Amino acid sequence: MIYLDHAATAAPRRDVLEAMWPWLTTEYGNASSHHERGRRAAHALEDARERVAAVLNARPGEVVFTSGGTEADNLAVKGIALARRERGPGRARVVTSAIEHHAVLDSAADLARYDDFEARTAPVDTSGVVLPNAFRALLRGDDDAAEVAVASVMLANNEVGTVQDIAALAEIATEHGVPLHTDAVQAAGVLPLDVRTLGVSALSLAGHKIGTPPGIGLLWIKRGTPLRPLLSGGGHERGRRSGTSTVAGAVGLAVALERAEAEREEHVRRTVALRGQLIEGILGRVPGALLTGPDSSAGGNRLATNASFCFPGVNGETVLVDLENRGVLVSSGSACSAGSTEPSHVLTALGLSPEVASTAVRFSLGRDTTAQDVDTAIAATADVVAALQGRG
């Protein structure tokens, strides 16, 4: 099988699993226990925190380990909004982009169920880039008296690969005194993650995109940014996220993030070439194929690992099934929305009709993807779409 769905999850790395193994077997102490085994676990946890912080150019105390990207997004959006809402009466606004992951959009929607909150989304252009003036207007809040509690814009989109100029948006947010959170789950190992350069107040990551098993992630939260915990209990993670610490996961995440950063430039160089090969092949061999998201050949800023298309006139899910039958594994968009019958909110935000959006197929490249894999995927896609068009 040729696996081209790395945006959904990547294979666990052997060195990551080896680093985790002792903390899953012989070193199984609770990091909150005050005996020797607990102290060893606590030391490993804090060592992992320091290593992660070094990659992010952050302070260790700013790193909160979570169960993954979804929890980190929820903690950022809800936790910051609720903490800032406590400052006084009045309505509070949560601003997101129209193409955020559902972990962010649904967090904002959850808050908006209460009278004290409203959720607003900033529009994007046809490439998925947030429109700065519209973003600024939402933060300024000229149309009402709502205070903006938090804004959230993802660094790199999981469906169409759009890379945002987060530093520029962070400047706008800072001008208006608004904390900006960025979901960087897809960016790890592909884009720089220096939080000081990005200028944000919070950043989310998930380990399973870069080589850990699922179940570990983190929220970086800038020192001094108010945050209300969403989980109550033992006051773990400096009171920001209660629950027995996943020491093995934290250790694995530290190793995975270090490896991803060390290999990033070579990984990007290689996957940019493969991405170009894939895009050129699909557009050249599949009549009517439509590239979605930024056009990197025309200067668009697209994630090196992403190539996404629509094939008008055929059903995207059928293409997936037929490609799997030919040994190629891809996705129709976000794996987190699997089973949904609704067209992608990302593609409709880009201006595509629901009918065209329903034909989407996403290819995402990984560390082990080869040029031969890409050639095979191109040929299989051309054959599958031609056969489906012939049936129509």
Side-chain angles (χ1 to χ4, degrees):
M1 283 287 187
I2 295 173
Y3 185 77
L4 297 179
D5 196 20
H6 291 86
T9 198
R13 298 179 60 122
R14 184 178 182 87
D15 51 357
V16 168
L17 296 176
E18 289 174 348
M20 295 174 64
W21 185 246
W23 307 101
L24 293 168
T25 53
T26 56
E27 296 291 345
Y28 53 82
N30 187 319
S32 297
S33 296
H34 295 295
H35 48 61
E36 182 181 356
R37 185 167 289 176
R39 289 193 294 272
R40 289 200 298 268
H43 176 78
L45 182 67
E46 294 313 309
D47 178 69
R49 198 185 310 276
E50 291 176 4
R51 293 164 67 181
V52 165
V55 174
L56 301 179
N57 189 24
R59 300 178 179 91
E62 297 173 322
V63 174
V64 181
F65 289 116
T66 68
S67 64
T70 292
E71 185 191 345
D73 283 346
N74 273 257
L75 180 56
V77 174
K78 295 177 181 176
I80 295 174
L82 289 169
R84 283 172 60 86
R85 179 63 189 80
E86 292 172 349
R87 298 189 307 182
R91 290 179 61 78
R93 176 181 296 174
V94 178
V95 174
T96 67
S97 86
I99 63 169
E100 294 301 302
H101 190 281
H102 275 296
V104 166
L105 292 177
D106 291 354
S107 291
D110 283 346
L111 290 169
R113 292 189 176 95
Y114 300 92
D115 289 340
D116 290 343
F117 285 99
E118 64 176 29
R120 301 284 291 274
T121 57
V124 297
D125 65 17
T126 56
S127 294
V129 176
V130 172
L131 302 174
N133 288 339
F135 182 68
R136 180 179 286 105
L138 288 173
L139 298 191
R140 191 167 52 229
D142 288 344
D143 56 342
D144 57 37
E147 176 192 30
V148 181
V150 65
S152 183
V153 178
M154 66 197 324
L155 181 53
N157 184 262
N158 52 308
E159 293 191 37
V160 297
T162 305
V163 177
Q164 304 289 348
D165 187 348
I166 288 296
L169 296 178
E171 285 187 13
I172 296 172
T174 300
E175 290 171 9
H176 293 85
V178 176
L180 176 64
H181 161 256
T182 190
D183 176 338
V185 167
Q186 294 294 329
V190 186
L191 299 173
L193 295 178
D194 185 321
V195 293
R196 310 301 172 189
T197 300
L198 291 172
V200 294
S201 296
L203 177 146
S204 301
L205 291 176
H208 71 105
K209 309 295 187 181
I210 52 173
T212 76
I216 185 68
L218 68 84
L219 174 67
W220 169 80
I221 181 82
K222 185 178 180 180
R223 186 168 66 177
T225 304
L227 184 75
R228 179 195 281 186
L230 303 185
L231 298 177
S232 301
H236 305 78
E237 294 296 306
R238 294 166 172 80
R240 297 168 299 191
R241 194 268 187 185
S242 291
T244 301
S245 301
T246 306
V247 177
V251 169
L253 180 56
V255 174
L257 196 56
E258 288 174 338
R259 299 292 188 272
E261 178 59 20
E263 299 168 1
R264 178 170 56 82
E265 291 186 3
E266 174 59 23
H267 178 54
V268 169
R269 183 197 64 77
R270 197 177 63 83
T271 51
V272 162
L274 293 174
R275 182 194 65 188
Q277 175 188 344
L278 179 59
I279 292 174
E280 181 179 357
I282 294 292
L283 296 182
R285 294 189 55 179
V286 181
L290 173 67
L291 179 70
T292 58
D295 183 353
S296 52
S297 65
N301 198 356
R302 186 185 199 102
L303 205 61
T305 51
N306 174 284
S308 53
F309 306 90
C310 284
F311 302 110
V314 301
N315 181 274
E317 293 293 336
T318 304
V319 174
L320 300 192
V321 172
D322 288 357
L323 282 176
E324 182 174 359
N325 291 336
R326 293 170 180 260
V328 179
L329 302 179
V330 294
S331 172
S332 60
S334 172
C336 299
S337 298
S340 173
T341 59
E342 296 297 316
S344 163
H345 70 282
V346 172
L347 296 178
T348 53
L350 268 58
L352 298 178
S353 69
E355 293 75 22
V356 172
S358 69
T359 73
V361 176
R362 178 188 69 185
F363 300 78
S364 47
L365 313 173
R367 296 190 312 272
D368 301 326
T369 305
T370 67
Q372 181 59 52
D373 292 338
V374 171
D375 281 340
T376 300
I378 293 168
T381 303
D383 290 346
V384 164
V385 174
L388 292 173
Q389 289 172 336
R391 289 180 209 167

